[in-house]
């Protein structure tokens, strides 16, 4: 067997195919737009490469789109056929077994196979990144960190995947509240792997979670080449930059970034929809007129009401429908969410039962200006929102809607408690949103006190 760039045995037979496979893995680690091109070249060179077909299936599943599951199924069947046609390595079997469980809607079971693969081959950077990606979707930030720190001792700075491993470690440190270590790891990752957009964006997360918008803007400015090569992930990095400008009140800059970068391509990729909907929601909560920007998002999301691949995606589609006032589509989506939660067969359906349904009901109520119902549902979901997947920064839009609905419904003490917990998660640092909401709560109490005095 020939070894790949990470020192892992492969069943590839030709140096040309191996080169394509190495480029596939490196592009995937860097969230590169060329990943499918390199993978296609690999499979064209060696159609019986089972691991290549497995990777293709997994890449398609991670896109979180119902219609792409058929393509993932085709790749899975091709992997099984390749397995029957010729022997595969034990390592490849771990990946194939993981795919089998994942295709059944059991990604948590799939993680066991990645864990077994990494126990035998801790420097298998592809297995590490896929494990990392899957735990991100499942909201398992502690598992992400545990996995990375388990394999890290096997690496050194000469390993081709070490920079990308550090980028993953930086993100897990940030998501588990170790902001200083996360920043150091992310910066080191970018030194070792200049195209590691994930590590760069982990540092951006640190600036978000430490209320350092100015520092975050400085970090990203001038480093655009580190994410220019990316697939849709590049829009997400621009989204982070927009959040920073919003925090310091530069709303026109935010709208310009939205139009010129974040929604440069009007895709219905759930990652792009989540960037856009969460940013428009934040702008509206801050009193900004976003014009007709909700319309195209709502049009696209109305076609996704039956998707059901990821809770995180569903909730952002719903956010678009609420923002665009699409009552019929909202009703259709809510019906499907209830059916999924009741069925409870797959891991995603189980998580839809909690916290998915409560969040969805809260979003629907917020759109109807029924703030009491919105707060009751959103605050209930807030306790388990991690299970919806994504990052702290991404889920923050739901936390903001929870707090704002509480303030508007007059639940000032309850809203203040959630706001205080949010601030504590940021090491006690108050960002622009928290400062504005503290003032609203104070003003609300003052108004209530004055009203009581007048009545008396």
């Amino acid at each position: 067997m020939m070894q790949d760039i990470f020192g892992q045995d492969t069943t590839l037979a030709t140096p040309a195919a191996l080169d394509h496979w190495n480029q596939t893995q490196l592009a995937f680690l860097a969230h590169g737009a060329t990943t499918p091109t390199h993978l296609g070249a690999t499979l064209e060179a060696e159609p019986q490469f089972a691991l290549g077909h497995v990777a293709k299936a997994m890449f398609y599943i991670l896109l979180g789109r119902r219609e792409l599951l058929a393509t993932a199924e085709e790749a899975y069947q091709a992997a099984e056929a390749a397995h029957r046609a010729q022997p595969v390595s034990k390592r490849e079997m771990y990946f194939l077994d993981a795919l089998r469980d994942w295709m059944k809607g059991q990604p948590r079971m799939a993680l066991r196979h990645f864990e077994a693969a990494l126990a035998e081959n801790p420097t298998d950077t592809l297995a590490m990144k896929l494990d990392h990606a899957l735990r991100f979707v499942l909201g398992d930030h502690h598992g992400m960190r545990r996995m990375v720190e388990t394999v890290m001792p096997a690496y050194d700075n000469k390993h081709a995947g070490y920079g990308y491993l550090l980028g993953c470690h930086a993100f897990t440190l940030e998501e588990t509240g170790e902001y200083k270590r996360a920043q150091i790891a992310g910066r080191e990752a970018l030194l070792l792997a200049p195209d590691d957009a994930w590590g760069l964006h982990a540092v951006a997360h640190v600036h978000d979670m430490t209320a350092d918008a100015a520092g975050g803007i400085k970090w990203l400015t001038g480093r655009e080449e580190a994410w220019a090569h990316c697939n849709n992930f590049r829009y997400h990095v621009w989204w982070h930059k927009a959040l920073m400008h919003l925090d310091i009140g530069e709303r026109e800059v935010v709208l310009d970034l939205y139009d010129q970068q974040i929604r440069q391509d009007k895709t219905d990729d759930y990652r792009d929809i989540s960037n856009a909907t969460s940013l428009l929601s934040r702008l509206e909560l801050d009193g900004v007129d976003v014009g007709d920007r909700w319309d195209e998002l709502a049009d696209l999301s109305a076609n996704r009401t039956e998707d059901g691949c990821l809770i995180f995606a569903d909730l952002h589609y719903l956010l678009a429908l609420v923002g665009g006032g699409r009552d019929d589509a909202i009703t259709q989506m809510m019906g499907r969410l209830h059916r999924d939660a009741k069925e409870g067969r797959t891991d995603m359906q189980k998580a839809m039962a909690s916290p998915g349904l409560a969040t969805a009901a809260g979003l629907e109520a917020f759109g109807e200006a029924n703030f009491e119902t919105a707060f009751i549902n959103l605050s209930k979901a807030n306790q388990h929102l991690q299970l919806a997947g994504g990052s702290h920064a991404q889920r923050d839009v739901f936390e903001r809607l929870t707090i704002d609905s509480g303030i508007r419904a007059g639940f000032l003490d309850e809203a203040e408690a959630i706001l205080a917990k949010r601030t504590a998660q940021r090491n006690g640092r108050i960002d622009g949103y928290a400062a504005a909401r503290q003032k609203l709560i104070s003003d609300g109490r003052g108004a209530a006190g004055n009203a009581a005095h007048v009545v008396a």
Side-chain angles (χ1 to χ4, degrees), residues 265-409:
D265 296 322
K266 303 295 192 292
T267 80
D268 66 345
D269 185 293
Y270 86 87
R271 299 164 295 181
D272 302 338
I273 295 291
S274 69
N275 293 332
T277 55
S278 64
L279 185 54
L280 291 187
S281 294
R282 286 170 166 87
L283 284 163
E284 287 194 334
L285 290 176
D286 283 358
V288 178
D289 182 357
V290 300
D292 62 358
R293 290 178 176 85
W294 279 113
D295 291 342
E296 61 103 1
L297 301 175
D299 288 342
L300 294 171
S301 296
N303 297 320
R304 314 301 304 178
T305 58
E306 297 300 313
D307 204 88
C309 288
L310 299 172
I311 296 170
F312 182 84
D314 280 342
L315 294 178
H316 285 89
Y317 294 142
L318 183 59
L319 203 54
L321 297 175
V322 170
R326 305 301 169 86
D327 293 341
D328 289 344
I330 291 171
T331 299
Q332 184 176 353
M333 174 164 263
M334 291 299 295
R336 198 264 301 160
L337 299 184
H338 278 279
R339 291 195 301 273
D340 284 355
K342 184 177 181 180
E343 183 174 344
R345 179 178 55 82
T346 68
D347 286 344
M348 285 300 157
Q349 289 175 334
K350 292 172 184 175
M352 180 53 71
S354 176
L357 271 184
T359 306
L363 296 179
E364 182 183 26
F366 193 95
E368 296 170 347
N370 186 346
F371 299 119
E372 180 175 347
T373 300
F375 180 74
I376 290 171
N377 281 282
L378 289 171
S379 59
K380 175 185 177 182
N382 188 57
Q383 304 171 46
H384 308 289
L385 197 56
Q386 180 81 31
L387 297 177
S391 66
H392 293 309
Q394 289 174 311
R395 292 187 300 273
D396 187 50
V397 67
F398 302 116
E399 197 154 34
R400 293 185 184 211
L401 287 164
T402 305
I403 293 165
D404 272 47
S405 62
I407 293 172
R408 297 182 192 192

